[in-house]
Amino acid sequence: MPSTRLDGKRVLLTQSREFMGPALLETFQALGAEVIADERPLDQDPLLPQKIVQTSGQVDVLLLHLALPAPSTPAGEIDDVEWRTVFAHLVDPMPRLVAAVLPQMMARRQGRILLIGSAAALRGQKRTGSYSAARGAQLAYVQAVGLELASFGIQFNAIAQNFVDNPTYYGAEVQANPRFQERLKRDVPLGRLVSAQEDANYAGYLCSDAAACFVGQIFPISGGWASR
C-alpha cells in the first residue's frame, strides 16, 4: 500500500509565516519531509520565484501558499490599485513558481504541486470582489495546468478552504467576536472552525504517494460551507 508519509521528500513552502504556513511546516516535518520554508511575499520582484527555486535545489513538492488579508470593498469602490495588489500577491507568482520548478520535476517525471487556495472562489460573498476573483483565477489555473502535467507524472491539485483556523483570516480577535461565533453556528454546518491541523493533515495526504490519482482537482475544506 502506498504510504501517506513524506519521508525523504523535499518540500518548498512559500510565505511560511502567514496563513497556513506554520501549520503546514509543522505537519510536513512531522510526516518526515525536509521543508524549505521561505517567508517572503512574492508580489514585488518577478524574478524572486525563480531565485527561490534555484536556491532550494531539488523540490519534490511545491506548496503554492500565497496569502493576503482580504479587502472588504463594495464592488463600485474597487479601484485599480486594490485589484492589482490582490492579483500581484495571489495570482502572478503562481505561473512563475510553477515554471521554475517544472524542468526538474519533468526530468524526474515525478512531482507534486499543491495550491492552498480559498473556497471564496466557490461560493459568493459580499464585498469580496477582488479577493474572490483572484482566488478563482488560482483554481482555474490549477484545473487547466493540472491536466497538462499529469502525463509527466506531476500531480497539481488545490485545497479550497474557508473557516479554517489560521492567523491571517481568523485570528484570536475575530474568533472571540460574538457576531463571528453566531455566524459559525448559522453558516457552517460543522458548527466550528476546521482546525489548522485537520487542514494540514489533508494537504500532507495530497502530497503523498498514496494520492497519485488526482489530476487538477479542487478539494473544498470548509466545514460544509462550500461543498463543490
Side-chain angles (χ1 to χ4, degrees):
M1 177 181 294
S3 175
T4 58
R5 296 275 307 171
L6 298 171
D7 297 297
K9 302 291 186 183
R10 303 190 80 249
V11 178
L12 175 57
L13 168 64
T14 60
Q15 278 191 260
S16 59
R17 294 189 65 181
E18 302 172 65
F19 190 26
M20 297 303 300
L24 290 167
L25 176 59
E26 180 181 356
T27 298
F28 275 62
Q29 287 178 332
L31 290 170
E34 178 186 350
V35 182
I36 304 105
D38 192 278
E39 301 176 356
R40 291 168 287 183
L42 300 171
D43 62 310
Q44 295 295 320
D45 180 2
L47 299 179
L48 182 56
Q50 177 72 36
K51 295 174 184 175
I52 291 173
V53 171
Q54 286 178 341
T55 58
S56 297
Q58 179 171 322
V59 176
D60 301 300
V61 176
L62 170 61
L63 289 175
L64 278 172
H65 176 259
L66 304 166
L68 176 74
S72 178
T73 309
E77 299 177 19
I78 298 173
D79 58 19
D80 287 350
V81 173
E82 176 181 318
W83 189 267
R84 282 306 320 145
T85 297
V86 174
F87 272 70
H89 277 272
L90 300 179
V91 180
D92 296 349
M94 290 185 60
R96 296 167 183 160
L97 285 163
V98 171
V101 82
L102 277 186
Q104 58 169 285
M105 287 187 175
M106 286 182 168
R108 295 191 301 269
R109 298 195 65 81
Q110 186 176 19
R112 292 283 194 280
I113 305 174
L114 180 66
L115 167 74
I116 309 299
S118 174
L122 304 179
R123 177 175 169 178
Q125 298 178 96
K126 295 177 181 178
R127 300 170 66 99
T128 64
S130 61
Y131 182 81
S132 294
R135 289 300 194 181
Q138 287 184 329
L139 299 190
Y141 178 80
V142 171
Q143 289 176 309
V145 178
L147 297 179
E148 185 178 337
L149 299 183
S151 62
F152 295 95
I154 303 167
Q155 277 72 51
F156 187 8
N157 298 292
I159 285 174
Q161 67 179 61
N162 197 7
F163 294 107
V164 175
D165 188 2
N166 72 83
T168 299
Y169 300 111
Y170 298 110
E173 184 176 340
V174 171
Q175 294 188 39
N177 189 319
R179 293 180 62 184
F180 178 74
Q181 295 171 12
E182 287 300 316
R183 185 186 178 199
L184 273 180
K185 296 175 184 176
R186 182 182 67 249
D187 294 343
V188 181
L190 187 63
R192 64 169 175 84
L193 291 178
V194 176
S195 74
Q197 187 66 60
E198 289 169 321
D199 186 80
N201 283 343
Y202 196 69
Y205 163 71
L206 290 174
C207 294
S208 73
D209 292 341
C213 62
F214 302 117
V215 175
Q217 290 183 238
I218 311 300
F219 298 94
I221 297 182
S222 61
W225 181 80
S227 58
R228 65 169 184 86

